[in-house]
Amino acid sequence: MKITPENLTPSPDLNGLCAAELLAVIAGFQQQLALKDEAIQRRDAHILLLEELLRLRRIQRFAASSEKLHQLQLFDEAEQEAEIDSLLAQLPNDLPQTAEPTVEAKAKPRQRGFSASLLRERIELTLSDEQKVGASKVFFTKVKEELQFIPAQLKVLEIWQEKAVFERDGEEVIIAANRPVHPLGKCIATPSLLGYIITSKYADGLPLYRLEQMFKRLGQEVSRTSMAHWIIRLDEVFQPLMNLLREEQNNATYLQADETRIQVLKEEGKTAQSDKWMWVTRGGPPGRPSVLFEYDPSRAGSVPVRLLDGFSGILQADGYSGYSQVCKESGLTRIGCWDHARRKFIEATQAAPSVAKGKSKPGASKADVALGYIGKLYAIEREQKERSDAERYQARQTRSVPLLAELKTWLDNNVGKVMKGSLTRQAMEYTLGQWPYLVGYCERGDLHISNVLAENAIRPFAVGRKAWLFADSAQGAKASATCYSLLETAKANDLEPSAYINHVLAQIGEADSLEKLEALLPWNVPLEPIAKKVAQYNEGK
């Protein structure tokens, strides 16, 4: 807009004003300046928050996503590590002067030779008869071992049933040999092929369209539609076993829970783009852990109420409010997850502005200090990892509880000194809001400082989701939850997942009683644990 005398704000005529009137005008100007300064400060604070969020989003999109960040792993320079320790030492309430255990990096043993469980074939390199003429002795020495790959192949099993004809009372009676019970009845896929499809998709993250291409290269087209249909039909077959696993899990005194998004294209009452949820609960009686996935289009608190029906004990989860309903209705004790609190402080340090080249590095931030405290809590847990529950409980009471009290005091004293809305302020407020739950792990020695076991169980689903992207229907999502449950429960019981799922598929068709179903639970099957196989391999080397 062009500036003209007409659109200029006229200056007040100060001529003829008395001293009191001049002071009033000056006070008005000062008030206007103060309001403008306040608006500028709000704008600058908003810009700082936006820049912080922008840096975080760039890091989340382009940088490595590892969360293995502790106090001493946040910095590249030893001087900064020392600076944090110095700052912690200057706090009003000093941290307990307990030496952290030295964690020595264990070198991974070099594998020598091959597993004794592998099929072996002897290849003899012989001398010719002319070369052996006149030799006093001939013998063989093993000069090397090589690992050979035998490509997968498809084989057609022709099922021929023998029948006998008898003449009885002038009529022919035919008796046929018994046929093995197939879990799906009429199906062209053997239980072993069904097991391979389930393992490939849900343990190895291969979407069905890739399996379709692989089977075509092997000489037979197996459509992804057929494979999806088989998996959905198997969900009904597996349901009695899943009911037993859920009942067994809810008999425990300690469970962990988590949930993650899943896209389902065809869900009644919801759009394809809307969020649906895969819920996970992990735990069980001693020696009988299970990992159970459950699909539900809702994230409401009624879902964990349904899943944890009959459970009474301690529930560990993140800060999501949806778990409050089941804790209230079932009288559960809820404890929190320090991984979630720590992750928020890590994001705050990652989003901190970078230091320009040639400038001195700033001092340790409040997020760094909080991570220093949290790192010491985790160090205590690492030291007590191999100890008994009683020893772990004692260490927490004598070392972790005082450290937690120091951290709580520091958070209370410093949360008001951090800019509202910043990632550091959000992390501090989240930790204080979750404090009654975060300190709960110290009440028993068998509890965990974080919900990491449930998160580790849900990780294969998150990885596989990047490959297959979505489920077509609610039936497919439910069937996927069942397959993930069986495979992850096998892992939790130290069983090779493909061996377990193949064993279940081979036997479940004839499991027509409760006793036969219970025999298929992972802690009852006659399969060798992975740890035992590894020990046998190490002994045989």
Side-chain angles (χ1 to χ4, degrees):
M1 181 180 66
K2 184 178 180 181
I3 299 177
T4 63
E6 288 75 14
N7 58 29
L8 284 174
T9 301
S11 301
D13 186 7
L14 302 181
N15 296 325
L17 296 180
C18 66
E21 291 173 333
L22 287 173
L23 289 175
V25 171
I26 293 173
F29 285 146
Q30 290 176 336
Q31 184 178 7
Q32 291 180 12
L33 289 174
L35 291 174
K36 289 182 179 180
D37 288 341
E38 183 180 352
I40 292 172
Q41 290 176 359
R42 288 199 303 269
R43 182 199 62 188
D44 291 344
H46 186 63
I47 291 173
L48 289 175
L49 294 178
L50 292 177
E51 289 178 342
E52 184 181 49
L53 290 175
L54 179 60
R55 288 191 295 269
L56 179 61
R57 295 296 178 266
R58 285 175 175 170
I59 291 170
Q60 291 175 337
R61 183 174 181 181
F62 300 111
S65 60
S66 174
E67 293 177 1
K68 297 177 180 178
L69 295 174
H70 298 276
Q71 174 195 1
L72 300 183
Q73 294 173 315
L74 287 169
F75 308 96
D76 297 327
E77 302 292 338
E79 292 81 4
Q80 289 184 319
E81 297 173 7
E83 185 176 9
I84 294 178
D85 291 337
S86 174
L87 183 57
L88 289 173
Q90 295 173 10
L91 294 174
N93 297 305
D94 293 337
L95 297 178
Q97 299 299 318
T98 305
E100 290 190 17
T102 302
V103 182
E104 296 182 358
K106 296 182 179 179
K108 186 177 180 180
R110 181 182 176 185
Q111 179 176 327
R112 298 182 181 278
F114 301 117
S115 171
S117 63
L118 293 177
L119 180 67
R120 275 177 154 72
E121 178 183 355
R122 177 165 171 157
I123 305 296
E124 295 184 351
L125 307 176
T126 60
L127 297 168
S128 64
D129 292 338
E130 291 79 6
Q131 290 174 318
K132 292 188 289 186
V133 171
S136 60
K137 183 168 56 176
V138 176
F139 62 95
F140 285 93
T141 60
K142 185 165 72 172
V143 292
K144 67 178 299 189
E145 287 186 344
E146 295 178 344
L147 191 63
Q148 183 185 26
F149 174 71
I150 302 175
Q153 62 178 0
L154 295 174
K155 181 170 66 174
V156 178
L157 300 183
E158 296 182 352
I159 310 298
W160 290 71
Q161 185 180 37
E162 187 176 19
K163 300 181 179 181
V165 181
F166 296 89
E167 295 286 344
R168 294 179 181 174
D169 301 328
E171 296 183 357
E172 289 187 347
V173 178
I174 299 177
I175 298 179
N178 292 330
R179 292 175 59 181
V181 180
H182 193 286
L184 293 181
K186 291 184 178 181
C187 180
I188 65 170
T190 63
S192 63
L193 179 57
L194 294 174
Y196 176 75
I197 293 170
I198 291 173
T199 304
S200 297
K201 178 174 181 180
Y202 299 108
D204 301 330
L206 288 176
L208 295 182
Y209 78 88
R210 292 185 186 174
L211 287 172
E212 182 182 48
Q213 295 170 351
M214 292 166 61
F215 289 137
K216 191 173 183 179
R217 290 200 305 268
L218 294 174
Q220 177 61 46
E221 184 173 348
V222 181
S223 70
R224 71 192 78 175
T225 303
S226 296
M227 288 185 278
H229 185 56
W230 295 337
I231 293 172
I232 291 175
R233 289 176 60 195
L234 281 171
D235 181 53
E236 184 178 351
V237 176
F238 290 142
Q239 195 56 51
L241 186 60
M242 292 297 299
N243 293 339
L244 285 179
L245 287 170
R246 178 69 67 183
E247 181 180 348
E248 188 76 26
Q249 187 182 85
N250 285 346
N251 285 331
T253 61
Y254 170 42
L255 293 181
Q256 296 181 326
D258 200 2
E259 75 287 335
T260 189
R261 291 174 176 83
I262 178 174
Q263 186 178 10
V264 179
L265 300 184
K266 301 171 185 176
E267 176 62 62
E268 186 177 356
K270 287 184 173 288
T271 64
Q273 295 77 20
S274 63
D275 287 334
K276 294 86 177 179
W277 299 90
M278 189 69 80
W279 296 77
V280 178
T281 53
R282 189 194 191 283
R288 297 183 174 186
S290 58
V291 180
L292 301 183
F293 288 70
E294 183 84 9
Y295 166 71
D296 198 289
S298 171
R299 203 190 183 193
S302 58
V303 180
V305 170
R306 173 174 59 85
L307 298 181
L308 300 177
D309 182 29
F311 171 67
S312 59
I314 295 176
L315 177 65
Q316 185 168 34
D318 56 23
Y320 174 51
S321 60
Y323 295 105
S324 300
Q325 182 177 344
V326 66
C327 292
K328 182 179 180 180
E329 294 185 11
S330 302
L332 306 181
T333 300
R334 181 175 177 178
I335 62 175
C337 172
W338 272 104
D339 274 6
H340 283 78
R342 181 183 63 174
R343 190 174 301 145
K344 293 181 181 298
F345 286 109
I346 290 175
E347 290 176 350
T349 61
Q350 290 176 331
S354 58
V355 180
K357 187 175 181 181
K359 292 188 177 181
S360 60
K361 297 181 179 179
S365 66
K366 286 181 171 56
D368 297 332
V369 176
L371 286 169
Y373 278 104
I374 298 173
K376 290 182 180 294
L377 291 172
Y378 276 85
I380 295 172
E381 295 303 308
R382 288 195 299 272
E383 182 185 2
Q384 303 298 319
K385 184 177 181 180
E386 304 299 328
R387 307 286 176 85
S388 66
D389 290 345
E391 292 173 323
R392 195 178 299 112
Y393 170 75
Q394 186 63 31
R396 288 172 177 174
Q397 291 298 309
T398 57
R399 298 174 59 190
S400 299
V401 170
L403 185 58
L404 286 165
E406 295 286 346
L407 175 55
K408 176 66 161 55
T409 301
W410 181 84
L411 288 170
D412 287 333
N413 293 337
N414 288 274
V415 65
K417 302 176 182 178
V418 182
M419 182 174 61
K420 289 185 177 181
S422 67
L423 293 175
T424 300
R425 178 70 173 259
Q426 292 179 27
M428 297 173 80
E429 290 176 341
Y430 173 86
T431 304
L432 288 172
Q434 291 290 308
W435 193 262
Y437 308 129
L438 290 173
V439 298
Y441 79 98
C442 292
E443 297 303 316
R444 279 176 27 183
D446 62 323
L447 307 179
H448 295 274
I449 191 173
S450 73
N451 208 25
V452 65
L453 294 179
E455 289 196 356
N456 287 343
I458 214 170
R459 186 168 288 113
F461 168 82
V463 172
R465 182 178 54 194
K466 294 180 179 179
W468 44 259
L469 300 178
F470 56 83
D472 182 65
S473 65
Q475 285 182 312
K478 185 176 180 296
S480 296
T482 297
C483 292
Y484 275 114
S485 298
L486 294 174
L487 294 175
E488 292 304 313
T489 298
K491 293 179 186 178
N493 288 271
D494 198 31
L495 298 178
E496 206 286 311
S498 63
Y500 176 68
I501 198 67
N502 277 286
H503 177 82
V504 170
L505 287 167
Q507 303 294 327
I508 199 168
E510 298 182 355
D512 53 1
S513 67
L514 178 61
E515 291 74 15
K516 291 181 180 178
L517 276 174
E518 289 179 338
L520 297 180
L521 294 172
W523 43 85
N524 293 332
V525 296
L527 298 174
E528 284 190 356
I530 297 175
K532 185 176 180 181
K533 292 182 179 180
V534 172
Q536 291 175 345
Y537 166 60
N538 292 333
E539 291 175 0
K541 288 197 300 182

